Amino acid sequence: MFTQFKSPTWHVPMSWLTGETKPGSLLWREHLANRERMGHEFKANKVVDSPFSSWSRLQGVLLVTFTFGSWVVSGSICALLLVFGSTATRVGIASYFLMGYLFGPQPFVPGVYDWVGSLEVAKTNGWRLIVVGDDERDAGAGAGDADKDTADTRDTKKETKSSSSSSNPIDCQKKPHLFCSHPHGLFSAGLSLNLVHSASALKRFKAVKIRLLVHWLLVNAFPVIKDWLRALGQMPCDRSTCSNLLKRGESCAIVPGGVREVVWSGRVDVEHLYLSDVFGFVRLAIQCGSPLVPVYTFGESLSMGPDWVPFFGLRRKVSYYLNAPIRFLSITQRWCLPFPNGRLVTVVGRAIDPGPVESKPSRERVKALHATYVEALLAMIEENKEEAGYPTQVTKIV
């Protein structure tokens, strides 16, 4: 039973709970196969699959562990301390929030943002970024570790860059773009680490920064983590905030499926994207004149393990009603840490022009652009799923 509980799989089979061995659990089996493939790539690059393989990698793993771990537990711990803590503890928590109210939220710290991006957490841990229409490809697991490229590899990369031109000219300096990521998973780790907090990815899109917009609780209410995320430039995901950022020339990244899509993560058979009646991001793109960029991460929805909790249909209805996901949550994944498990491959598609700016676009125009976007997203997934290691994946819009 515990033979898989080691690098690169870090998984204890629980087929009697998850149904992961059933004939229809194709998505989960491909996810496990990609974990094995990632392990082989580490060996081929002569890199040990361990946070201690380099100092920069260790820093990145510790930061992600702190961020995602705090993401999950900070709110609960704060609530418990307020209920069961001592008077001094309650006064301390109240003072903390009072200071935040009086002096405002933690401002964005560009130096911290740049430092996190320079760690290239995704690359050093075996993840990949694919840009549709761009011949440049990440070199594989461990490629971000210092001094791992040979002279031949560096020469090949230079030839590739000089002999090919990208047919996906996303230039965030000329116009702010709205990057729309799917699926949500639990942490949207692929979007965050393969794109928003990757210096090499930002360079490919000529972006100084990309603002990641998240649930308002994470940046306004949950203690400690809200200040850390604000320092990284993350903002609450609401129409006003996103519109203001785009209009002042800052590219943004959002997850249109929101928390309702979280409840679909962990399914072992088919990938589900909550998008059928989500039109706000399309309307916003028209109002701001910002191109829509479809982003999809293979492996995201299963990066924190299968969801084995029963009564999915009931949980889904309650989650939709409360706008809060009810699902299994495991924070002991890769290396037994709250670090997403597996080989996450993020694909960035071609930008979709929303057309002329219109403050109050008609319902028909919004629906037409939404249909165009969904069609482009599904086509991008189908065209890249084999290269990403998910050749039989079935994707459904819900």
Side-chain angles (χ1 to χ4, degrees), residues 178 180 254 275 278-288 290 292 354 361 365-371 373-374:
L178 184 59
C180 306
I254 62 172
L275 199 57
V278 181
F279 298 98
F281 73 104
V282 176
R283 182 178 293 104
L284 186 63
I286 296 174
Q287 292 171 336
C288 298
S290 299
L292 292 167
R365 182 182 175 186
V366 171
K367 284 187 174 181
L369 182 57
H370 181 272
Y373 176 86
V374 172

Side-chain angles (χ1 to χ4, degrees), residues 298-361:
F298 290 92
E300 181 76 64
S301 62
L302 286 166
S303 62
M304 300 305 286
D307 179 9
W308 53 265
V309 179
F311 307 112
F312 174 75
L314 176 62
R315 289 191 291 119
R316 177 178 59 81
K317 291 180 180 179
V318 175
S319 296
Y320 282 16
Y321 178 77
L322 299 176
N323 201 30
I326 302 174
R327 60 145 291 169
F328 170 70
L329 174 62
S330 170
I331 58 173
T332 54
Q333 290 296 320
R334 195 169 175 181
W335 307 300
C336 298
L337 299 172
F339 192 98
N341 215 338
R343 180 174 179 260
L344 273 61
V345 181
T346 300
V347 184
V348 179
R350 291 182 172 86
I352 300 172
D353 186 359
V357 175
E358 188 176 359
S359 59
K360 295 182 179 180

